[in-house]
Amino acid sequence: MKTLTQVWLICAASCFIFLILGFQVAGRAGLLAAFLLCLVLLYLIFHKGLKLFINRTSAKEIVGIDPYELTGLFKQYALAYGIRKVRFFVTDKPTPPLVWPEFSNQLVVFLNSQTLEQLNPAEKKLLVHMLLSHGFLHSKLTRKTLGLIYISLSPLDKVFAPLFNAVAYTLGLSKEIYKADLKALSVSQAQNFEFGLLLHKLHHLQTHNDKIFEGTYFFSILSKVNPKLYNLKFHPNVTNREKNLLGYAVGV
């Protein structure tokens, strides 16, 4: 489905759902309130979402000299994934690698500084392929909408998680993860075990901790290592992803 079609579809669906809920709760007054709330939400997603995301991660953009030596790799491989430009941010907060796809074929990447310090040059190259692939294949507006709503509801995540599970599963977001892994493997022409070992290593680093940043599931290229019953199930666990790449699980 084309990006523009996705945009109009999610906007129309979001507005329709908000209007129904508003009318059921408070009649005509609820209808108006729901419509205004929907407009505010869409405005935040289109114009303020990225800024909110940067502020929440306390990330800093890498411009000019890149001590992590990733900028050149992004430029080298971005076009192979249909991405025109990559903006690279680094954060000290313990959070998994995150991608924020933009509509003008741009990708914003958030990485933890300590994670990068624990990767060798070959692993950084594979990580770049993984980030580009996930950024290209992740549904843009859908993940932003669900992610920002979920972040705002994070204190009540146990209550709303089943609803988000159902919506995300219906939209087939888990399939995007598997496809992105395989596309990165194909374009990079790396060996299956290399990607499997990197995936396993990333998942078991101390910096992979999305408890501090609720809602990263929609933007993360990783999965939860120890998912709870109420966690989002649409995101495949690391064992299934290793089997998807290797045919077997790496193990601890």
Side-chain angles (χ1 to χ4, degrees), residues 114-115 118-119 200-209:
Q114 294 180 16
T115 295
Q118 299 180 66
L119 300 179
H200 185 81
K201 179 177 181 178
L202 289 173
H203 275 85
H204 291 84
L205 291 176
Q206 292 298 315
T207 51
H208 176 208
N209 176 10

Side-chain angles (χ1 to χ4, degrees), residues 236-247:
N237 62 48
V238 61
T239 300
N240 289 339
R241 291 178 66 181
E242 289 172 357
K243 290 179 179 179
N244 184 52
L245 283 168
L246 303 173

Side-chain angles (χ1 to χ4, degrees), residues 125-178:
K125 179 181 175 181
L126 292 182
L127 175 61
V128 165
H129 279 284
M130 192 178 296
L131 290 163
L132 291 170
S133 180
H134 281 257
F136 172 71
L137 288 176
H138 280 197
S139 51
K140 299 176 176 61
L141 188 60
T142 302
R143 286 183 180 273
K144 291 179 183 179
T145 303
L146 294 176
L148 290 178
I149 294 176
Y150 196 80
I151 289 171
S152 66
L153 298 175
S154 57
L156 302 172
D157 60 341
K158 294 182 181 181
V159 176
F160 289 99
L163 174 61
F164 281 88
N165 281 335
V167 174
Y169 181 79
T170 302
L171 295 174
L173 298 191
S174 62
K175 296 179 181 178
E176 295 178 353
I177 306 297
Y178 289 123

